[in-house]
């Protein structure tokens, strides 16, 4: 393997000053990026000077992906070498065995080169820490939901449904800060993306490709992303219809689960949520028609919400409540 050698973390010129408190590195793995930062868990705050991010071509070979992941984490570690770090929390998409830390991505697909790799076992030797830091894993959408609920703790919300709308459709059902994955009031594993919907599943519709496909069916024009649709919204009736239908369909789809969970807030993140002005009115109208006039919050944190959320795995109360319910696929 052509990995870079370890370096002495004490040589960094960009480190933070020694501080008292509890610190955990949070890592967000996306389809095309890795981002990491130290989180002051007592202040629920990212130490911005430790934030690092890198582009990842997710179809690259194993060695390339692992080297990018390690080099990004090492930038964060270098910038935090005076802090007593408790561990590293990963917000990482499935399919993934979150109990054992084993990637289950199919070969030939996103991160397929990591299929059956035990991430902590292979990553630890590449890190520049003077001690072996424990690594724990949480689903990326769940991490976002946990982070958003934790950051909004003072607002008094007890039962929040948090969704991410982007490349895929993620969800988390949070009760008093803990993700709910079992029971009759939440879908299996707390996931919505794989539930049957229309001619497929929810992920086929409430995602970037769903919006692109809907517009192409109406116009015979292929757009590159939802951001382009949003630019067309002011003058293109077909783009307006796509967003109107998206909001109504999303509200109708979410309504039964919001009722079952007795949610007191709906939180939205992901790139599509940045176009909320285009579909928010129809979404709110749909929820009102379904008898669910709950507040809708648009995340200001996006990926940083997931970075903060995944560090909760090193909170003893949180970990006790989730460790036995972590998905294994």
């Amino acid at each position: 393997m052509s990995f870079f050698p370890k370096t002495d973390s004490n040589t960094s010129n960009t480190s933070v000053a020694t501080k008292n408190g509890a610190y955990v590195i949070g890592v967000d793995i996306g389809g095309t990026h890795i981002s990491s930062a130290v989180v002051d868990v007592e202040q629920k705050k990212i130490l911005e000077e430790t934030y690092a991010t890198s582009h990842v071509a997710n179809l690259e070979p194993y060695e390339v992906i692992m080297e990018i992941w390690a080099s990004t984490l090492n930038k964060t570690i270098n910038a935090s070498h005076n802090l007593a770090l408790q561990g590293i929390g990963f917000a990482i998409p499935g399919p993934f065995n979150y109990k054992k830390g084993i990637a289950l991505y199919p070969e030939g697909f996103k991160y397929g080169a990591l299929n059956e790799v035990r991430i902590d076992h292979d990553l630890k030797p590449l890190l520049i820490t003077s001690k072996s830091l424990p690594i724990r894993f949480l689903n990326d959408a769940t991490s976002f939901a946990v982070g958003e609920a934790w950051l909004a703790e003072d607002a008094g919300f007890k039962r929040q449904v948090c969704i991410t709308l982007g490349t895929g459709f993620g969800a988390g059902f949070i009760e008093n800060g803990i993700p709910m994955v079992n029971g009759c009031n939440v879908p299996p594993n707390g996931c919505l993306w794989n539930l049957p919907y229309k001619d497929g599943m929810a992920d086929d519709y409430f995602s970037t490709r769903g919006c692109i496909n809907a517009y192409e069916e109406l116009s015979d024009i292929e757009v590159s992303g939802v951001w382009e649709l949003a630019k067309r919204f002011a003058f293109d009736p077909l783009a307006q219809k796509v967003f109107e239908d998206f909001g109504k369909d999303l509200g109708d789809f979410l309504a039964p689960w919001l009722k079952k969970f007795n949610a007191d807030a709906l939180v939205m993140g992901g790139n599509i949520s940045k176009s909320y002005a285009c579909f928010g009115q129809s979404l709110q109208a749909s929820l009102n028609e379904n008898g669910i006039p709950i507040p809708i919050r648009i995340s200001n944190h996006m990926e940083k919400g997931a970075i903060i959320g995944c560090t909760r795995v090193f909170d003893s109360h949180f970990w006790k409540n989730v460790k036995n319910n972590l998905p294994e696929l």
Side-chain angles (χ1 to χ4, degrees):
M1 299 180 190
S2 60
F3 292 127
F4 47 85
K6 290 187 180 184
T7 59
D8 183 357
S9 63
N10 291 324
T11 63
S12 170
N13 293 320
T14 58
S15 62
V16 295
T18 302
K19 302 176 183 179
N20 295 320
Y23 303 96
V24 177
I25 293 177
V27 183
D28 178 59
I29 301 295
T32 58
H33 77 272
I34 173 175
S35 300
S36 62
V38 174
V39 175
D40 180 337
V41 296
E42 292 182 356
Q43 300 295 322
K44 306 179 189 179
K45 181 181 178 181
I46 285 176
L47 302 183
E48 293 293 342
E49 58 269 46
T50 69
Y51 178 79
T53 188
S54 301
H55 174 76
V56 184
N58 58 57
L59 296 179
E60 291 282 4
Y62 161 90
E63 292 86 357
V64 175
I65 294 171
M66 293 298 288
E67 183 168 344
I68 294 172
W69 285 13
S71 65
T72 305
L73 264 167
N74 282 334
K75 290 176 184 177
T76 291
I77 293 168
N78 254 332
S80 60
H81 70 271
N82 287 325
L83 298 178
L85 300 172
Q86 294 181 344
I88 302 172
F90 265 74
I92 191 166
F96 196 92
N97 186 324
Y98 293 91
K99 285 186 178 180
K100 297 180 179 179
I102 299 174
L104 300 174
Y105 308 118
E107 293 184 15
F109 291 86
K110 179 177 66 177
Y111 294 122
L114 303 183
N115 188 36
E116 298 187 356
V117 170
R118 182 174 170 181
I119 301 299
D120 60 340
H121 179 271
D122 287 23
L123 188 60
K124 281 183 179 181
L126 308 176
L127 301 181
I128 60 175
T129 53
S130 58
K131 66 175 183 177
S132 178
L133 292 174
I135 300 177
R136 293 174 180 173
F137 302 88
L138 201 60
N139 175 267
D140 57 339
T142 301
S143 297
F144 168 78
V146 168
E148 287 293 331
W150 193 31
L151 290 166
E153 194 173 32
D154 293 342
F157 298 121
K158 301 297 183 184
R159 304 172 70 85
Q160 302 182 58
V161 174
C162 305
I163 62 173
T164 53
L165 301 167
T167 305
F169 177 34
F173 292 73
I174 309 297
E175 181 177 351
N176 295 320
I178 305 296
M180 300 289 107
V181 296
N182 298 314
C184 60
N185 63 344
V186 298
N189 294 314
C191 295
L192 294 172
W193 68 272
N194 57 344
L195 297 185
Y197 186 70
K198 292 188 178 180
D199 296 327
M201 57 184 179
D203 199 69
D204 297 327
Y205 295 89
F206 306 119
S207 61
T208 297
R209 71 180 184 282
C211 295
I212 291 174
N213 291 341
Y215 185 74
E216 187 173 3
E217 287 180 10
L218 291 175
S219 66
D220 287 328
I221 298 173
E222 184 177 348
V223 294
S224 57
V226 175
W227 64 272
E228 186 175 342
L229 275 181
K231 288 171 64 176
R232 292 172 176 261
F233 183 81
F235 61 85
D236 185 343
L238 297 182
Q240 293 168 11
K241 178 169 175 51
V242 167
F243 280 115
E244 182 179 353
D245 290 348
F246 180 87
K248 182 182 186 309
D249 290 347
L250 181 61
D252 290 344
F253 174 79
L254 291 174
W257 293 108
L258 293 171
K259 284 181 179 178
K260 285 183 180 181
F261 192 62
N262 193 27
D264 53 15
L266 173 63
V267 184
M268 300 175 59
N271 284 330
I272 296 177
S273 71
K274 297 175 183 178
S275 301
Y276 181 76
C278 299
F279 66 87
Q281 187 173 349
S282 62
L283 170 60
Q284 290 175 318
S286 173
L287 293 180
N288 288 337
E289 289 170 6
N290 282 284
I292 311 172
I294 62 174
I296 299 174
R297 297 195 300 110
I298 308 302
S299 171
N300 292 321
H301 309 103
M302 297 299 174
E303 71 169 24
K304 292 187 177 181
I307 288 175
I308 291 173
C310 69
T311 65
R312 296 287 285 154
V313 295
F314 287 94
D315 175 87
S316 58
H317 172 73
F318 181 91
W319 186 240
K320 179 181 177 181
N321 279 278
V322 304
K323 64 180 181 181
N324 294 323
N325 293 320
L326 293 173
E328 297 185 71
L329 48 80

